[in-house]
């Protein structure tokens, strides 16, 4: 039997979101229904609302979520290695297939055929909804593929746990998985929102000794210090490339992470790294953006220019690990929660995020 629940929907490009009735079907083969406990408000949801990802309106927004499995469909394995009703889970938007060429080569974090639920959730009139990143968790319940559920320790508060599902994993993974930050490294992070601060916290955990935070707002830089930045640079007041070089013996940082995703910040990241250093792009650019670099500089500076998809994470490996580190007090996950809100406050949370007032607003159901 289907369930009618309350959810947040974007009906058309740029229009304010609406809180409406959403119909969630019973799970089919390989699917599960999750009672959503909490869901973070992410920039990606704004991109969906504003038509920056696709035009498949209406969208059921929300994807950075934690909850409890309330129903499983046929073929979903149970037991310790499967899913049971009552399991606490974090939802992920890259449920690996295990069969594509990336998975077969032992690189499942690059999976080219990730899973989503087959059945649509709908509006009350039967109009199919497009769930954000295949999840759609600004709702009391959501339908996902079983592979999109990663079990985590239920002791971790849901408002913090849900953040593992997107922004925190993207930033942490950009530093640790993609950038390969290790003991003694110097790291610079451009952009100190939630993703950038997660990269800073990840770099500190990995043992980096010099961690330079770069932003245009002093209050964000002070927050970055709390997450582990050893130095801060306000790029309105100083050339970030020269500042990073000055703080690294004149050489540049071993790893530079662009958590903004603009041509100017990418160029800064490119020139702020040491010879043979690594640039990691984790901020998401728009389709219109272009970058121009002298090819001789690309050749002559060596090293690696990388993009980080979802922090190059493997959810079943990385989510429980980060949850455990948070419970041990070794990773400050709870500190990323700026406020908790209801479903009716999502539009206001988008505005707060645009102003830079919050790291994460989290919808608690």
């Amino acid at each position: 039997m289907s369930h009618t629940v309350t959810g947040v929907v974007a009906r058309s490009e740029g229009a304010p979101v609406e809180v409406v009735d959403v119909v969630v079907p019973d799970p089919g083969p390989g699917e599960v229904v999750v009672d959503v406990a909490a869901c973070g408000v992410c920039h990606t949801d704004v991109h969906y609302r504003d038509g920056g990802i696709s035009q498949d309106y209406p969208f059921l927004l929300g994807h950075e979520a934690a909850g409890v499995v309330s129903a499983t469909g046929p073929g979903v394995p149970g037991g310790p290695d499967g899913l049971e009703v009552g399991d606490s889970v974090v939802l992920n938007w890259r449920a690996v297939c295990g069969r594509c060429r990336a998975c077969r080569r032992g690189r499942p974090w690059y999976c080219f055929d990730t899973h989503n639920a087959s059945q649509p959730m709908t509006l009350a009139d039967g109009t199919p909804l497009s769930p954000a990143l295949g999840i759609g968790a600004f709702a009391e319940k959501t339908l996902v593929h079983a592979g999109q559920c990663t079990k985590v320790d239920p002791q971790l508060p849901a408002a913090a746990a849900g953040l593992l599902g997107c922004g925190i994993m993207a930033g942490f993974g950009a530093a640790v998985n993609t950038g390969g930050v290790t003991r003694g490294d110097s790291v610079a992070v451009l952009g100190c929102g939630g993703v950038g601060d997660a990269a800073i916290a990840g770099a500190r955990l990995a043992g980096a000794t010099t961690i330079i935070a770069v932003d245009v707002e002093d209050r964000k830089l002070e927050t970055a210090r709390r997450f582990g930045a050893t130095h801060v640079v306000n790029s309105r007041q100083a050339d970030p490339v020269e500042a990073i070089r000055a703080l690294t013996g004149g050489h540049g940082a071993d790893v530079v992470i662009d958590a903004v995703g603009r041509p100017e910040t990418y160029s800064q990241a490119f020139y702020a790294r040491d010879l043979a250093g690594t640039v990691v792009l984790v901020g998401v650019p728009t389709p219109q953006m272009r970058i121009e670099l002298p090819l001789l500089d690309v050749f002559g500076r060596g090293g690696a220019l990388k993009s980080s998809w979802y922090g190059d994470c493997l959810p079943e490996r990385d989510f429980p690990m980060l949850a455990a580190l948070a419970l041990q007090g070794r990773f400050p996950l709870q500190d990323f929660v700026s406020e908790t809100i209801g479903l009716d406050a999502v539009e206001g949370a988008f505005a707060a995020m645009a102003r830079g007032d919050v790291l994460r607003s989290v919808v608690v159901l």
Side-chain angles (χ1 to χ4, degrees), residues 19 58 60 69 72 74 89 91 168 183 255 264-265 289 300 302-303 311 342 364:
V19 180
L60 176 59
V69 174
T72 62
V89 296
L91 302 184
I168 303 307
R183 294 182 300 277
V255 180
E264 55 269 34
T265 53
M289 291 178 180
V364 174

Side-chain angles (χ1 to χ4, degrees), residues 316-348:
E316 64 188 34
R317 175 195 67 195
D318 294 336
F319 290 6
M321 176 267 294
L322 278 173
L325 289 172
L327 287 169
Q328 293 165 12
R330 297 170 61 194
F331 186 77
L333 183 60
Q334 187 67 45
D335 292 348
F336 287 90
V337 180
S338 302
E339 62 175 358
T340 56
I341 60 173
L343 286 171
D344 58 352
V346 167
E347 188 70 33

Side-chain angles (χ1 to χ4, degrees), residues 8-9 36 39-42 44-46 48 59-65 91 121 130-139 142 346 350 363:
V8 175
V9 168
V36 179
C39 185
V41 180
C42 177
T44 303
D45 294 303
V46 179
Y48 272 105
F59 293 110
L60 176 59
L61 300 181
H63 59 279
E64 201 173 63
L91 302 184
M121 293 178 279
S130 298
L133 291 176
I135 292 176
F138 284 155
T142 191
V346 167
F350 288 161
V363 173

Side-chain angles (χ1 to χ4, degrees), residues 8 43 74 144 231 342:
V8 175
H43 282 278
V144 294
H231 303 80

Side-chain angles (χ1 to χ4, degrees), residues 71-89:
T72 62
V76 175
D81 296 326
L83 289 172
E84 303 276 2
V85 171
D87 282 342
S88 294
V89 296

Side-chain angles (χ1 to χ4, degrees), residues 188-193 196 212-217 220 233-236 238-242 244 255-273 278-286 289-293 305-306:
V189 178
L190 309 184
C192 298
I212 305 163
V214 181
D215 203 281
V216 297
E217 295 188 19
K220 288 188 175 182
V233 175
N234 186 318
S235 56
R236 290 192 194 276
D239 182 322
V241 175
E242 293 305 316
I244 291 167
V255 180
V256 184
I257 298 166
D258 179 2
V260 180
R262 296 186 58 84
E264 55 269 34
T265 53
Y266 190 85
S267 180
Q268 290 165 358
F270 179 83
Y271 286 109
R273 67 184 174 129
T278 299
V279 172
V280 177
L281 175 64
V282 65
V284 182
T286 65
M289 291 178 180
R290 298 289 184 271
I291 182 116
E292 182 175 322
L293 290 169
L305 308 178
K306 297 184 174 183

